[in-house]
Amino acid sequence: MVWWSAAGLLLLVLALGLLSLLFGTGSTGPGRAWDYLTGDPAARADAQVRLAVRDVRLPRTLAALVVGCCLGVSGCLLQAATRNPLAETGLLGVNSGAAFAVVLGLTWGGVGSAGGLMVCALLGGTVASAIVLLLAASGRTAGSPLRLVLTGSALGATFHGLTAYVLLGTQSTFDTYRYWTIGSLAGVRLGDLVLLAPLAALGLAGALLCARPLSALGLGDDAARALGHHPGRVRLAVAAAVSLLTGCAVALAGPIAFLGLLAPYAARALTGPRLAAQLVLSALFAVNVLLLADLLARLVIRPWETPVSVLLAFVGGPLLVWIARSPRLSTAGAA
């Protein structure tokens, strides 16, 4: 059942990826885009078609793959580590840290390019998560789920307040920040993906390595210790992988809500407590949802574009309410 579901979701990824290359907000229609993809000489020689397909649609399609995998896997890991089916990747302070770094870069760092904002977001998210890990690793309850969540929430609130303080006196910074914080795949370049893909791959590899010890933690800390695992170290390793994955996603697309929460929930409905299978299906669910949302974002009010995070919020908000009210919530958490 699980592998059939994975195969079906993978085929859907390929289909949505193709549609993402064929449709856009510009004047290049699906017919001309298909000619370009199939190697038609006239289409390949057309600069406008080449720009639309290769330089605009291809990078954002690949970005949807990377961001979807990162958010789906990180959400699944975080929910398993905290044993909370409503846990979301912003709990570790990565989003707020990235936002604060972007504001500092815009206000005092002279950052104006999309690449510069991406670097600021990655550095800010990494520093914020490092602070959370250091604080959570201290004391007698080092690495506990509650300590991680409380530390991340407190640091996130601090960064949010500092961000608001800086924005109050800088109108130009606020205008740029407002566009970035909406969350969108528009404007992603292949160079951005080349820079961040190795870091995302490292985070995904770390997530897979955490799957087995994290499954043992689902039996309880005492049982995990009896099996040779250290609960605190496992949770800190999970937090590090989540921070790296979320940092890459935020750097590419800005803060995107709900995806890291909903994809693991859908995966658990098919896999049950098997964490490795949950990670795979969570990644595939998230990629499909993000590809579909990004495709609709280009078509809903064409020739203009809707931010992809807005469409996800329209879907994610009601689903979150339904999940929270579901009688299965108590058994839907990670094992």
Side-chain angles (χ1 to χ4, degrees):
M1 173 66 177
V2 172
W3 298 116
W4 281 109
S5 300
L9 289 171
L10 184 58
L11 289 176
L12 187 56
V13 167
L14 296 176
L16 289 173
L18 178 60
L19 291 175
S20 179
L21 294 174
L22 294 178
F23 292 91
T25 57
S27 59
T28 301
R32 293 293 288 165
W34 176 258
D35 291 340
Y36 180 87
L37 293 174
T38 54
D40 180 73
R44 289 295 177 96
D46 191 325
Q48 183 177 359
V49 176
R50 184 168 61 250
L51 175 66
V53 178
R54 188 189 67 183
D55 298 334
V56 177
R57 298 177 190 174
L58 178 60
R60 69 188 298 169
T61 301
L62 295 176
L65 296 176
V66 175
V67 172
C69 283
C70 287
L71 292 180
V73 170
S74 59
C76 185
L77 280 179
L78 188 59
Q79 291 177 16
T82 61
R83 301 173 191 170
N84 180 0
L86 296 181
E88 197 263 335
T89 51
L91 286 178
L92 292 184
V94 178
N95 291 352
S96 56
F100 183 54
V102 166
V103 169
L104 290 181
L106 289 169
T107 306
W108 293 304
V111 176
S113 65
L117 293 180
M118 183 191 70
V119 172
C120 288
L122 181 61
L123 291 176
T126 303
V127 170
S129 62
I131 296 174
V132 170
L133 293 181
L134 288 175
L135 293 176
S138 61
R140 290 177 297 176
T141 57
S144 70
L146 181 60
R147 191 180 183 91
L148 277 172
V149 170
L150 289 178
T151 304
S153 299
L155 189 67
T158 301
F159 279 133
H160 180 74
L162 292 172
T163 300
Y165 173 77
V166 175
L167 287 174
L168 282 176
T170 50
Q171 181 64 38
S172 60
T173 297
F174 178 74
D175 291 338
T176 306
Y177 170 78
R178 181 177 56 184
Y179 175 79
W180 175 83
T181 197
I182 287 176
S184 174
L185 296 174
V188 176
R189 300 171 301 178
L190 284 176
D192 302 336
L193 291 167
V194 170
L195 176 64
L196 290 179
L199 296 177
L202 181 63
L204 292 173
L208 291 176
L209 291 175
C210 290
R212 186 171 182 178
L214 194 53
S215 296
L217 259 64
L219 303 174
D221 287 6
D222 292 336
R225 290 189 186 96
L227 293 173
H229 302 291
H230 191 290
R233 293 174 186 171
V234 172
R235 291 193 181 99
L236 291 176
V238 168
V242 168
S243 301
L244 183 58
L245 291 170
T246 308
C248 290
V250 172
L252 276 174
I256 293 182
F258 294 112
L259 195 57
L261 186 153
L262 298 176
Y265 189 87
R268 281 194 297 273
L270 295 175
T271 66
R274 290 171 289 180
L275 187 56
Q278 284 180 29
L279 292 173
V280 174
L281 289 191
S282 290
L284 291 173
F285 269 119
V287 168
N288 276 301
V289 171
L290 192 55
L291 279 171
L292 180 59
D294 185 52
L295 185 61
L296 292 176
R298 309 176 211 175
L299 302 177
V300 170
I301 55 173
R302 190 178 179 183
W304 295 278
E305 185 169 327
T306 305
V308 66
S309 61
V310 173
L311 292 177
L312 287 175
F314 273 117
V315 177
L319 281 178
L320 178 59
V321 173
W322 177 78
I323 290 173
R325 292 174 57 86
S326 173
R328 297 179 58 234
L329 180 62
S330 59
T331 60

